[in-house]
């Protein structure tokens, strides 16, 4: 097969891995292909949907907006507990860099991560999201100042950020290098870039194939392995300092979603599944239980450096 050039090496030659559709949110019945570049082995969605088409695959409320009910309070508590891995990773990076300045979270969604970071050490934070609704929710619900923009055209001065975080952003972009180039400009000399993506070299992908939720067809345009992330960072002028292959928020829950997408709380909300409050609470608890049962496997694959997500700390090459 040949067609669009690979975003990493520009080779048009690809090998078909499998076909898949939007299993999680069911925004479309259209079938997509997942292909691997014959030259550099980068895995990607093929062919790439146009920006207008891609927009249709992001349901409104793609981020979490807590309401006042008991189930939402429980979910908000759960989200705070499982975000601690991310907080600890970023806090260590900030301590070791010692640069002062704001932390910019790209793809901030409802702003919970930045809210927690600001609560813990009073640091200045700012969010960025390409959704106006997300930026609005970040400010209104989480008290996090946020702008609606792409990072390449963000209204920030060069060399001002102590850290830039991108959790599950790069895999959604047509040109992830443009975001890393922009981050390179915005970071202070010893500032830190923290990137997290699903890891296409994980055991879950090997075992579950197109049922692995990390490929999230058709919203993920690129499915990175660690080596792909390394090459991209290197190409954009960054050196890697540290990896983490386990995330309490993403790895066990991701496996639960892969095994039972119909229980995923976000999927149920976005699919408008009708549930009584009691049914909702029951399904939430079943989902948390399934994530709990997934813990040993996800720990093991992460310990073998094949976890279903990779978090990377990097800094500018000197
Ligand atoms: Zn390639």
């Amino acid at each position: 097969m040949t067609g669009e050039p690979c975003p990493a090496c520009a080779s048009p030659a690809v090998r078909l891995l499998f076909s898949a559709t939007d299993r999680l949110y069911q925004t479309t019945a259209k079938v997509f292909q997942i292909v691997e570049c014959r030259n550099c082995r980068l895995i990607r969605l093929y062919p790439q949907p146009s920006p207008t088409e891609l927009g249709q695959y992001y349901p409104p409320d793609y981020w979490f907006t807590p309401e006042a009910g008991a189930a939402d309070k429980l979910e908000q508590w759960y989200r705070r507990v499982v975000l601690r891995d991310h907080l600890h990773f970023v806090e260590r990076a900030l301590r070791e860099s010692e640069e002062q300045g704001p932390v910019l979270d790209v793809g901030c969604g409802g702003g919970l991560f930045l809210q927690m970071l600001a609560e813990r050490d009073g640091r200045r934070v700012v969010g960025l999201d390409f959704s106006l609704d997300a930026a609005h929710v970040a400010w209104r619900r989480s008290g996090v100042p946020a702008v609606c923009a792409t990072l390449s055209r963000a209204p920030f001065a060069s060399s001002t950020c102590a850290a830039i975080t991108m959790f599950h952003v790069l895999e959604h972009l047509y040109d992830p290098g443009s975001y890393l180039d922009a981050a390179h400009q915005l970071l202070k000399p010893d500032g830190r870039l923290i990137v997290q993506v699903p890891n296409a070299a994980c055991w879950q992908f090997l075992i579950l194939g197109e049922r692995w939720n990390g490929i999230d067809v058709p919203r993920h345009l690129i499915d990175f392995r660690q080596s792909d992330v390394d090459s991209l960072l290197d190409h954009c002028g960054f050196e890697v300092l540290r990896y983490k292959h386990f995330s309490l928020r993403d790895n066990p829950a991701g496996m639960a979603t892969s095994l039972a997408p119909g229980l995923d709380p976000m999927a149920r909300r976005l699919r408008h599944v009708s549930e009584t409050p009691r049914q909702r609470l029951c399904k939430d608890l079943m989902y948390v239980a399934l994530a709990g049962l997934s813990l040993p496997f996800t720990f093991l694959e992460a310990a073998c450096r094949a976890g279903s997500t990779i978090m990377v700390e990097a800094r500018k090459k000197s």
Side-chain angles (χ1 to χ4, degrees):
M1 290 168 66
T2 55
E4 297 166 349
C6 168
C9 76
S11 164
V14 293
R15 178 172 80 89
L16 176 65
L17 296 185
F18 45 74
S19 301
T21 187
D22 185 357
R23 183 168 176 263
L24 189 56
Y25 301 143
Q26 301 176 346
T27 58
T28 178
K30 186 173 167 181
V31 175
F32 298 84
Q33 294 181 330
I34 301 292
V35 301
E36 186 180 66
C37 172
R38 280 193 183 274
N39 181 47
C40 74
R41 296 193 62 224
L42 186 71
I43 300 173
R44 66 188 203 264
L45 189 72
Y46 185 89
Q48 283 193 341
S50 69
T52 312
E53 184 188 346
L54 192 59
Q56 295 163 10
Y57 306 140
Y58 285 88
D61 293 335
Y62 181 64
W63 51 88
F64 177 63
T65 313
E67 302 295 340
D72 270 45
K73 283 205 173 115
L74 184 73
E75 192 168 332
Q76 181 74 337
W77 171 83
Y78 172 82
R79 281 174 177 264
R80 281 180 164 266
V81 169
V82 298
L83 259 175
R84 286 185 191 172
D85 272 341
H86 292 67
L87 283 169
H88 291 158
F89 194 88
V90 173
E91 284 170 345
R92 179 173 154 188
L94 287 168
R95 272 198 309 276
E96 291 177 359
S97 118
E98 294 182 351
E99 287 281 18
Q100 298 300 310
V103 175
L104 168 63
D105 185 32
V106 179
C108 66
L112 180 61
F113 166 74
L114 288 179
Q115 182 187 2
M116 289 175 72
L117 192 67
E119 282 168 2
R120 285 163 65 102
D121 74 354
R123 189 171 280 270
R124 272 191 300 143
V125 296
V126 61
L128 179 143
D129 206 289
F130 59 58
S131 157
L132 186 58
D133 289 340
H136 181 65
V137 169
W139 174 243
R140 191 165 45 93
R141 298 293 181 101
S142 310
V144 167
V147 297
C148 174
T150 62
L151 188 61
S152 324
R153 307 181 74 180
F156 305 122
S158 295
S159 300
T160 49
C161 295
I164 297 179
T165 54
M166 296 185 199
F167 301 120
H168 294 271
V169 170
L170 295 182
E171 67 272 25
H172 294 268
L173 304 176
Y174 292 100
D175 181 11
S178 67
Y179 265 43
L180 296 186
D181 288 340
H184 198 276
Q185 272 222 323
L186 292 172
L187 278 172
K188 289 190 164 186
D190 192 39
R192 298 300 156 93
L193 173 69
I194 288 101
V195 166
Q196 189 195 26
V197 293
N199 175 17
C202 68
W203 292 356
Q204 287 183 48
F205 191 29
L206 279 177
I207 296 167
L208 298 170
E210 68 267 34
R211 291 172 60 219
W212 177 52
N213 92 311
I215 57 168
D216 199 18
V217 174
R219 285 164 291 276
H220 289 184
L221 303 179
I222 300 177
D223 302 297
F224 296 96
R225 301 180 185 90
Q226 184 173 304
S227 52
D228 304 318
V229 178
D230 288 350
S231 309
L232 183 62
L233 286 168
D234 181 61
H235 183 74
C236 296
F238 288 97
E239 62 175 327
V240 173
L241 298 173
R242 189 162 54 111
Y243 298 103
K244 186 173 166 64
H245 295 88
F246 185 79
S247 153
L248 187 58
R249 182 189 71 174
D250 303 302
N251 297 25
M255 187 162 162
T257 297
S258 301
L259 297 172
L263 283 181
D264 182 283
M266 178 83 97
R268 282 155 41 218
R269 184 162 42 239
L270 297 183
R271 289 183 200 171
H272 304 293
V273 175
S274 110
E275 296 163 347
T276 64
R278 192 187 193 85
Q279 285 170 331
R280 185 179 161 197
L281 195 59
C282 278
K283 286 188 189 174
D284 283 349
L285 291 173
M286 281 164 65
Y287 181 75
V288 173
L290 191 55
L293 290 171
S294 303
L295 262 176
F297 179 85
T298 54
F299 271 140
L300 183 65
E301 65 173 353
C304 296
R305 306 175 75 80
S308 55
T309 56
I310 328 163
M311 214 183 294
V312 182
E313 177 190 348
R315 70 176 168 208
K316 298 187 198 186
K317 282 192 245 182
S318 43

